[in-house]
Amino acid sequence: MGLAADIVILVVAALIGALIAQRLRQPLILGYIFAGILVGPHTGGITVGDVHEIEILAEIGVALLLFALGLEFSLDELKPVRGIALLGTPIQIILTMALGYGLGLGMGLSHVASVWFGALISLSSTMVTLKILMSRGLMGTLSSRVMIGMLIVQDLAVVPMMIILPKLGNPEGGLAMLGAAVVKSVAFLAVMFVLGRKLLPLLLASVAKWNSRELFILTITALGLGVGLATYMVGLSFAFGAFVAGMVLSESDYGHQALSDIVPLRDIFGLLFFTSVGMLIDPAFVLENMGRIVFLVTVIAVLKGLIFAILCRLFRYIYIVPMAVGLGLFQVGEFSFVLARTGLAAKVIDFELYSLVLSVSVFSMMASPFVSALAGPLYRVKKRLIAQDPPQAANMPEEGFHDHTVIAGGGRVGQHVAQVLSRLSVPFVIVELNYQRMIECQEARYPVIFGDMSQEVVMDAARLGQARLLLVTTPSEIVSRSIVRRAHLLKPDLRIVSRAEGVEQAQSLYASGVYMAVLPEMEAGLEIARQALLHMEVPVSAIQEYTDAVRQGVYKPMTESRPEQMLLEKLHHFRTMLEMSWVGVGERSVLSGQTIEQAAIRSKTGATVVGVLRDGFMTANPAADFVFAPDDLVAVVGNRVERRLFSDLARGQG
């Protein structure tokens, strides 16, 4: 079967490797690489026949990888951390390249090969980092935002590296060839962003009108690979063209759909790429050079991690952020494979250096989950040994806080609560770990502290020990439970209301000691249902009875074991037995022209009139000789049946 058989072998081997990696909680990329090692030419057993043909298919995987990266690229993701992402990341790349250059010269490499080695180790792994952040529920924290922002810029830096670095290995062309590549790149970008931004979206719009997903996917794939082929034909990188095509399409109305359609194809061809990388790794080489590989991984992890940590500190990120970023981005990433393949194809680096970089990358990826997990313990040790900086705060009252509300989280929910409390002049302070949201709260003139609510120094700054109430608005159960646990250590009797994303999470939060867990999705659904019922002119009392029943059905199983909650439920039940309703008196009502005594309201309905609104003036507790008039709004108190009887009386015609 030739090539077809090789592809089948690779896919099956990759599946087995991915299942093992998933079982061991490792990135799937490592499973693909080890699968490539097993079916590669350097090991016995089942072996891929034509490695070169697989490498050609792998080039399509690289192009689709960068095409999808272009589709995903968004400047909005960089805004909260744009300073360190756009300025700090290029500095990090340059410093790490200098580190790699020194290590390369120390290993006896040439100047050009040492520059390549520095470039290869300067990139971190987007896939591994995202996998770790998502598995630990850390997405959305300030540390994760900084890491993602820097990773995006690193991924973008691959494109100019793929253009510039190969020219360094051709001293005959010198700067002339490098200048020609830059001019071609600028001209291509100009054409794409002037004409491509108009023509490509029009083409997608025309195809989308036919409502054929198959044709749409084919068009997306043809555009990405076709533009890449065009750049290759003019002497630029195939992958560079695919990336630019993705960037252009990302700004169209069909960018999100294009990304969702291209991802499965990208993953399949990406599988071929990473397995082909594994096929080039010689286990014998790894065993022979194990000492050098371990040494390089250790040195790169320590020094590259320090570069990230110091840059974070210089850009005024404090607390656990520098440590978390340094320990999270020390590894050598998957785009180093892409760049190394380019160097190997251009004959700028030899196979030995290529194998060394791949081995270092694989070992550093394997160590990432374990090394990044050290951030929390090391930070706690640091706090005990070194005094902490005071948290950054804004709009704090001069008299300080006492008997106030602390809002953990300044997102949409937290800011909405702050708006309500602010209008009612209730003292409060927001604690927010996302810097951009902290700025939003600051601009809204809310008292806000920048920091992690689960940290003792931040709790002290928020005066949690003197607070009356703590509101936890984060959707993350792990973060919420951490805050609740630390808050109760500081003040055991503190009332805590927390947001929950489901019944199971709410029950877990109750077990952690929260006073009330609120389900936002259920409350939103009830409000939508209430608005729909009001629109259909269902009586307000019936709507209230329905919503109360739904809430009781959802919340009661979670709170029935808590005595204070059971008391609240009973009080709520008693309150609903005796409520007030407003009823209008019509022009032909039997009440019109009668006094309260003549109408015999108490004896006929059991309800009590407690107020009458007439022409904008309110008469509270009217006397028995008060005369009703048309268009009066009468406030009556009673249970549901009594209020309904009065409503029938007031609307009845004589």
Side-chain angles (χ1 to χ4, degrees), residues 12 84 192 209 235 268 275 322 375 417 562 628 647:
V12 174
I84 191 170
M192 286 296 296
K209 291 179 181 178
I268 293 297
T275 50
V417 174
R562 298 167 59 86
F628 291 110
S647 178

Side-chain angles (χ1 to χ4, degrees), residues 338-367:
V338 178
L339 193 58
R341 287 287 291 272
T342 303
L344 192 63
K347 298 181 180 179
V348 181
I349 62 175
D350 57 22
F351 190 78
E352 181 179 357
L353 179 57
Y354 178 81
S355 300
L356 183 64
V357 170
L358 294 189
S359 302
V360 169
S361 178
V362 170
F363 275 81
S364 66
M365 284 183 176
M366 291 175 62

Side-chain angles (χ1 to χ4, degrees), residues 23 51 131-132 171 222-223 230 244 248 264 323 451 478 482 566 576:
R23 184 70 176 175
V51 176
K131 173 85 172 177
I132 294 171
L223 286 176
V244 175
V248 171
M323 191 173 292
I478 297 175
S482 176
M566 294 176 68
T576 57

Side-chain angles (χ1 to χ4, degrees), residues 149-192:
M150 298 188 80
L151 286 169
I152 289 174
V153 177
Q154 278 191 0
D155 292 345
L156 295 177
V158 173
V159 178
M161 285 182 179
M162 293 178 69
I163 297 173
I164 296 172
L165 290 178
K167 307 304 179 185
L168 299 179
N170 188 355
E172 296 179 0
L175 294 176
M177 291 187 64
L178 181 61
V182 172
V183 170
K184 290 179 182 179
S185 302
V186 173
F188 172 71
L189 289 172
V191 171
M192 286 296 296

Side-chain angles (χ1 to χ4, degrees), residues 7-334:
I7 293 176
V8 172
I9 292 172
L10 279 180
V11 171
V12 174
L15 173 61
I16 296 172
L19 291 174
I20 295 174
Q22 184 71 24
R23 184 70 176 175
L24 298 176
R25 297 186 177 182
Q26 294 292 316
L28 298 185
I29 297 172
L30 297 182
Y32 298 154
I33 293 173
F34 281 114
I37 294 174
L38 292 177
V39 299
H42 304 290
T43 55
I46 300 175
T47 303
V48 171
D50 195 336
V51 176
H52 180 67
E53 292 293 333
I54 297 298
E55 290 178 350
I56 294 175
L57 290 177
E59 293 296 328
I60 299 177
V62 175
L64 291 176
L65 194 66
L66 287 174
F67 180 52
L69 176 65
L71 286 170
E72 291 178 295
F73 177 69
S74 173
L75 288 174
D76 292 336
E77 296 183 19
L78 296 179
K79 286 182 181 179
V81 291
R82 55 184 175 271
I84 191 170
L86 298 176
L87 182 59
T89 307
I91 296 174
Q92 173 267 317
I93 291 175
I94 293 171
L95 292 177
T96 311
M97 287 182 67
L99 167 65
Y101 180 77
L103 289 173
L105 293 179
M107 291 187 296
L109 300 179
S110 67
H111 291 283
V112 173
S114 297
V115 171
W116 269 88
F117 183 71
L120 293 172
I121 68 170
S122 68
L123 304 174
S124 303
S125 175
T126 302
M127 296 183 182
V128 171
T129 303
L130 291 178
K131 173 85 172 177
I132 294 171
L133 291 174
M134 287 187 289
S135 64
R136 293 181 179 162
L138 298 177
M139 296 296 290
T141 62
L142 182 59
S143 301
S144 70
R145 291 297 182 97
V146 172
M147 284 190 263
I148 292 172
M150 298 188 80
L151 286 169
I152 289 174
V153 177
Q154 278 191 0
D155 292 345
L156 295 177
V158 173
V159 178
M161 285 182 179
M162 293 178 69
I163 297 173
I164 296 172
L165 290 178
K167 307 304 179 185
L168 299 179
N170 188 355
E172 296 179 0
L175 294 176
M177 291 187 64
L178 181 61
V182 172
V183 170
K184 290 179 182 179
S185 302
V186 173
F188 172 71
L189 289 172
V191 171
M192 286 296 296
F193 281 93
V194 173
L195 297 179
R197 291 174 68 179
K198 296 179 180 179
L199 298 179
L200 297 187
L202 286 177
L203 176 60
L204 286 182
S206 301
V207 173
K209 291 179 181 178
W210 287 321
N211 293 320
S212 172
R213 186 177 183 186
E214 182 180 354
L215 186 59
F216 187 83
I217 295 174
L218 180 60
T219 305
I220 290 295
T221 308
L223 286 176
L225 298 180
V227 173
L229 179 61
T231 58
Y232 176 77
M233 293 177 66
V234 297
L236 296 175
S237 167
F238 180 40
F240 171 66
F243 171 77
V244 175
M247 284 188 63
V248 171
L249 292 177
S250 69
E251 298 183 6
S252 70
D253 295 335
Y254 304 95
H256 294 292
Q257 183 62 41
L259 178 61
S260 64
D261 286 339
I262 205 66
V263 162
L265 192 62
R266 176 203 68 182
D267 291 342
I268 293 297
F269 278 94
L271 175 152
L272 295 177
F273 170 73
F274 289 115
T275 50
S276 69
V277 168
M279 287 190 296
L280 295 174
I281 296 179
D282 186 356
F285 173 85
V286 174
L287 292 175
E288 291 175 5
N289 296 272
M290 182 60 71
R292 186 163 55 153
I293 293 170
V294 173
F295 170 77
L296 287 174
V297 170
T298 304
V299 172
I300 291 170
V302 173
L303 297 182
K304 185 178 177 182
L306 280 175
I307 291 173
F308 277 109
I310 293 171
L311 281 173
C312 288
R313 201 64 182 88
L314 292 176
F315 279 86
R316 299 184 178 181
Y317 291 98
I318 54 177
Y319 304 125
I320 198 174
V321 175
M323 191 173 292
V325 173
L327 294 175
L329 298 182
F330 76 91
Q331 77 283 125
V332 181
E334 60 274 358

